[in-house]
Amino acid sequence: MKILKLMMLAALATMVVTSCVQNNQKGKKEETRKVLVLYYSLTSNTKAVAQEIATRLDADIEEVALVEPYDTAFQATVDRCKAEREKGILPEIKPLKSNIADYETVFIGYPVWFGTFAPPIASLVDKIDLSGKWVVPFCTFGSGGLESSAKDLAEKQPNAKILPGYGVRAARMDAMPKELEQFLNMYLGRPTFAPADFPEQHLVSADEAAIFDAAVNGYPMLNAKSKTVASRTVLDGTEYLFTAMDMPREDKPGMPPASEIQVYVLVEKDKAPVFTRVVR
Ligand SMILES: Cc1cc2nc3c(=O)[nH]c(=O)nc-3n(C[C@H](O)[C@H](O)[C@H](O)COP(=O)(O)O)c2cc1C
């Protein structure tokens, strides 16, 4: 399955979602519920995004529930995931109340765990058939994982039409409603700001390296040094795309191996630089 071209699909997605809204305004009950938001969330970040999407699109919403919920204590969840992976099993989910066949568009939301969608969503996509549906992934994460999880979703559901998704860091949930408004404009056929492509990367200057360091400093899962960068104007300021080398830290076992990463950094007027996502 391919992740299809943004512009073409966004135009089609606009038609799918707006037709639902218009039908809704006319009060045709069956036709108003063509968008479903399905999500899993352990600590409520993804739930907040799911609720925001459902409200803005007037969509149906359902939480994917586990027969045996994960523990909210981080290490307990890590240990259980490891044990499940070693046994080659996925957690059992409760049957869905929604009938997927009733929907044209399904938003699927999840926290990123170990670089991809959390196991309850792996269980879900093993069980349901999204063939022919428009599917919009959305996620929350510590540092990133939208791209990798969308790719994994496309592999699991090769006949689904996967549209561009939305992801936000757990540390930036405050920015989520405004970002979602922009993101969903594309699906609602409303005017939206489209930033120019990034120009070619150049070697970082001392000032740019300082912006990178300020953005990633204090994030425990990164130990990265910036190499090259490009920047562009976005709605709220300047966005930088850094290429950096991330090194494992000896005092932190379990960190990813040394690798080249891409880090998106946002600098808004009068605000400190923040990284918005890491692509590994
Ligand atoms: C077991 C576990 C694994 C995680 N793995 C990652 C990861 O690989 N990458 C990442 O950026 N964040 C990771 N996180 C952080 C979560 O994605 C993040 O806190 C998310 O916002 C939680 O969403 P929720 O509140 O909807 O459960 C992990 C969290 C847990 C509990």
Side-chain angles (χ1 to χ4, degrees), residues 40-47 74 77-78 81 111-115 140-144 170 219:
Y40 170 73
S41 183
L42 182 63
T43 51
S44 292
N45 290 332
T46 314
K47 181 178 187 168
F74 178 75
T77 301
V78 171
C81 287
V112 172
W113 287 8
F114 313 107
T140 67
F141 42 71
S143 59
Y219 186 74

Side-chain angles (χ1 to χ4, degrees), residues 128-144:
I128 60 175
D129 182 9
L130 295 168
S131 298
K133 309 277 177 207
W134 300 106
V135 175
V136 186
F138 64 95
C139 56
T140 67
F141 42 71
S143 59

